Structure formats: structure tokens, C-alpha cells
Amino acid sequence: MQAEPQAFDRVLSSMCTKPHPAAREAAERFLATNPGDPGTYPAVAELEARAVSLLGEVTALPDPSGYVASGGTEANIQAVRIARERSDARRPNVVVPGSGHFSFRKAADLLGVELRIAPTDDDRRADAEAVCQCVDDETALVVGVAGSTEYGRVDPIPALGEIARDTDALFHVDAAWGGFVLPFADRPWNFADAPVDTMTIDPHKMGQAAVPAGGLLVRDERLLDELAVDTPYLETTAQATLTGTRSGAGVASAVAAMEALWPAGYAAQYERSRANAAWLAGALADLSFDVVEPTLPIVAADVSSGAFEALRNEGWRLSRTGAGELRVVCMPHVSRAMLESFVDDLAAITGRASAPLANDH
């Protein structure tokens, strides 16, 4: 086979990145193992327990339970499934802010729950008052987003958690992308900050593990009982995961990445990504584009469709927000040199030049 994987030198839209070297090596060693059959593959089962323990450190959960999933979509579906199974409502509903990931729509379709979308505020975060208007006696789950995929916004997690508690609903935080940067960003988001019941956090995003390596964490391990099905032909008696066969490579790489990088390596990477996002936002503003001020390292700007397509034709891998802005995710593989080259191409395509400095002549 002659095909080669996508190079990362012009990838600016992905929420996945190059794996850490230790994660790559660990993934290769565990390619043929299946955490879905822990009786047969005890070594990778032990690694999964280690992965969950490390994810607990990242999210401030002292006695974590959960598993390594295929990604954020699976973990979000499972959180909705837990809530549905616990609910006594005839048709439970799930309240998600407008910034919520599209995986919640998939979950609603698959599980037959009602999805209620609460409007966001002017800063593209969940509006707590709007969420209050959406919940009722049949609400099974309230969702908060800690690092939205379009703008990197962090919802008011403690306030949403209190709404869930007052409604007798579970509270889920989707930190699939944000979970490995928020420990260093001084914002409330984790199990210590709010009454969070379940959380999505993906090592294969900012965690720098190999794909696939998502994560589902639960505060109380009994919540996993809502997912359990009998497994009569395996050496174990029950299984709480959504998929049966799972990636041992993802589990091993998640452990390797976290052991190599938590916490100092992730802190340093966050500072680089944050600085790159701030630089890019400033450079785009200097070119007279309207820029959405970044909270976490995601930059959105109002760039025309023609310029967007021209950049794609130059090989830049880009995406748009739902509102149509160009979107750049400052992942670990995104360097300042990449961003400088990108801005140069954008300036050439649009015929715009940066405003001169005050001491220029």
C-alpha cells in the first residue's frame, strides 16, 4: 500500500494532533489487544485502570471510575444513556446549551430522549437562566460544555450543576477537548468545582494520545451499572462499554502520554497554544478581520467564503463555525511558524496588509 497519512504541517482545524512519541510506541505494542475482553487481555485491562486513575488526577476526581472510549461521541452517548436508564419519566429530556457538540443529537436519536437546546449568551456560553427555563420534572440530564468545539468557551459549570441538582437530574460535563488545557486555565470546570456526575475527556485530543482514546468518567461507579449488559461467552460476566471490541492501542497510548506529560508537559503545551492563539487573533485583527476573542486556544474570524476556499486550495486544512467564521485550533502540532505562513497567505489572497507600527516610517 502506497498511501500515506495526512501531514500535519498545514492542519489548522483538527482537534486531534500528532501523538507523543511515548504514546506512539505504546500504541504499536498493544495493537492486537482488546480491553473489551479483560479476562483474555489482563495487561491492557490493568492499563485501562491506570488510564482512568490518571484521568481522575486531571479532573480532580479522587476515586474515579469509567473507561477508555473511542472518543467524545461515544462518551457523550453513554452519559445520556446512563441518565435515561435512571429516569422514571415517560420520555426523559436532556438539556444541552446551543454550544453543545452534535453528538448529543446522535444520542437523542439513538436513545429516544427529547433534546432541548438552551440558547447561549452573548459570549457563546450557556445561559443559566435559559437552561432554567428548559428543565422540568422529566429532565434526566443537564449538560455543560468545558471547551466548546467551535469557540473554546467554558460554560458556567457550577451554576449548571446546581440547576441539575435542583431538578434532580444528572449533570454531565463535556470536556472532550478542553479537559487537558483547563487544569491550567483557572476556570471552574471539574469534579471538585461542581456537582458533576459524568464527564467526557479525550486523551487523543490535547492529551496527545493516539486515536482512538476517548474517556468517560463517573463520580459514582454505580452509575456504570446502568450500562451493564451480560456477556455470557466472555471470561467476565458483564460489560458497561458501548462497543465490545475496543482499542488496546488507544488505552496504552493514553497511559503513556499522560505519564510523560502530566502535569508539567501539559502546562507548558497549554502556554504555547495560548500564546499562539493570542498571536493569531492579534494578527488577524491587524488585517482588519473581525475576530472572536479566544478563551481557550481556538481562534475564529470573519473571513469571506472566497478567501476560505482559496486558503483550502493552498493546502490549509480549515473549518468553519456554525455562524460561518473561519476556525483555527491551536493544537500541539501548530507552531508559530505555521501560523505566520498562514497569515501571510491570507494577506496575499485578500490583498490586506497589517497596520504599520507607530514608529514605522
Side-chain angles (χ1 to χ4, degrees):
M1 184 180 74
Q2 299 301 313
E4 294 294 333
Q6 171 73 48
F8 278 90
D9 59 338
R10 291 204 160 199
V11 174
L12 295 178
S13 60
S14 178
M15 287 190 150
C16 295
T17 191
K18 292 181 179 178
H20 186 276
R24 180 186 297 273
E25 190 274 336
E28 291 175 351
R29 286 190 291 118
F30 281 84
L31 280 172
T33 61
N34 174 18
D37 188 1
T40 302
Y41 301 99
V44 78
E46 292 174 9
L47 280 176
E48 184 165 34
R50 174 65 174 153
V52 170
S53 176
L54 288 165
L55 287 172
E57 291 184 32
V58 174
T59 60
L61 182 58
D63 188 20
S65 294
Y67 73 92
V68 177
S70 60
T73 291
E74 178 183 341
N76 286 339
I77 290 171
Q78 289 285 75
V80 175
R81 186 173 162 219
I82 289 171
R84 185 196 68 175
E85 293 304 300
R86 287 185 75 256
S87 176
D88 294 327
R90 181 182 59 80
R91 191 188 181 207
N93 66 72
V94 173
V95 179
V96 179
S99 57
H101 191 259
F102 53 77
S103 55
F104 291 103
R105 296 186 184 277
K106 297 181 182 181
D109 287 346
L110 288 167
L111 298 171
V113 301
E114 178 190 356
L115 189 66
R116 297 182 177 178
I117 307 298
T120 54
D121 62 18
D122 292 340
D123 195 34
R124 302 168 177 84
R125 303 163 73 230
D127 185 318
E129 182 56 37
V131 172
C132 280
Q133 296 299 315
C134 288
V135 299
D136 61 20
D137 291 343
E138 294 195 327
T139 300
L141 184 69
V142 174
V143 175
V145 182
S148 61
T149 52
E150 289 186 292
Y151 299 103
R153 294 305 198 242
V154 182
D155 287 340
I157 297 301
L160 297 182
E162 290 307 314
I163 293 170
R165 282 291 168 272
D166 291 345
T167 312
D168 197 26
L170 290 182
F171 181 43
H172 176 68
V173 171
D174 182 0
W177 178 76
F180 281 90
V181 298
L182 281 165
F184 318 105
D186 193 27
R187 291 175 180 271
W189 70 283
N190 62 28
F191 286 95
D193 295 324
V196 180
D197 295 296
T198 59
M199 180 178 289
T200 294
I201 176 171
D202 285 359
H204 70 208
K205 293 187 171 76
M206 277 297 209
Q208 299 179 53
V211 176
L216 173 67
L217 294 179
V218 298
R219 185 186 292 272
D220 185 341
E221 66 177 350
R222 290 174 295 182
L223 291 174
L224 295 176
D225 293 342
E226 306 291 354
L227 305 174
V229 296
D230 293 338
T231 54
Y233 72 93
L234 298 180
E235 295 180 53
T236 50
T237 58
Q239 189 178 82
T241 58
L242 184 60
T243 57
T245 301
R246 295 186 289 127
S247 171
V251 169
S253 71
V255 172
M258 287 187 282
E259 288 185 340
L261 294 169
W262 173 256
Y266 289 131
Q269 179 53 58
Y270 168 69
E271 288 302 323
R272 287 192 295 272
S273 295
R274 183 196 59 78
N276 280 340
W279 180 89
L280 177 60
L284 294 174
D286 285 347
L287 291 174
S288 299
F289 291 104
D290 291 332
V291 179
V292 179
E293 189 68 23
T295 299
L296 299 182
I298 297 179
V299 179
D302 189 12
V303 173
S304 71
S305 297
F308 180 87
E309 292 305 321
L311 288 165
R312 294 276 298 181
N313 290 337
E314 289 293 323
W316 294 105
R317 299 299 95 192
L318 303 164
S319 65
R320 287 190 175 279
T321 67
E325 299 110 334
L326 175 145
R327 167 182 168 275
V328 172
V329 188
C330 293
M331 295 297 289
H333 67 269
V334 175
S335 67
R336 183 66 59 83
M338 281 175 63
L339 294 176
E340 290 172 353
S341 178
F342 169 73
V343 170
D344 286 346
D345 281 356
L346 177 60
I349 286 166
T350 59
R352 301 190 186 196
S354 299
L357 298 177
N359 59 354
D360 280 356
H361 300 287

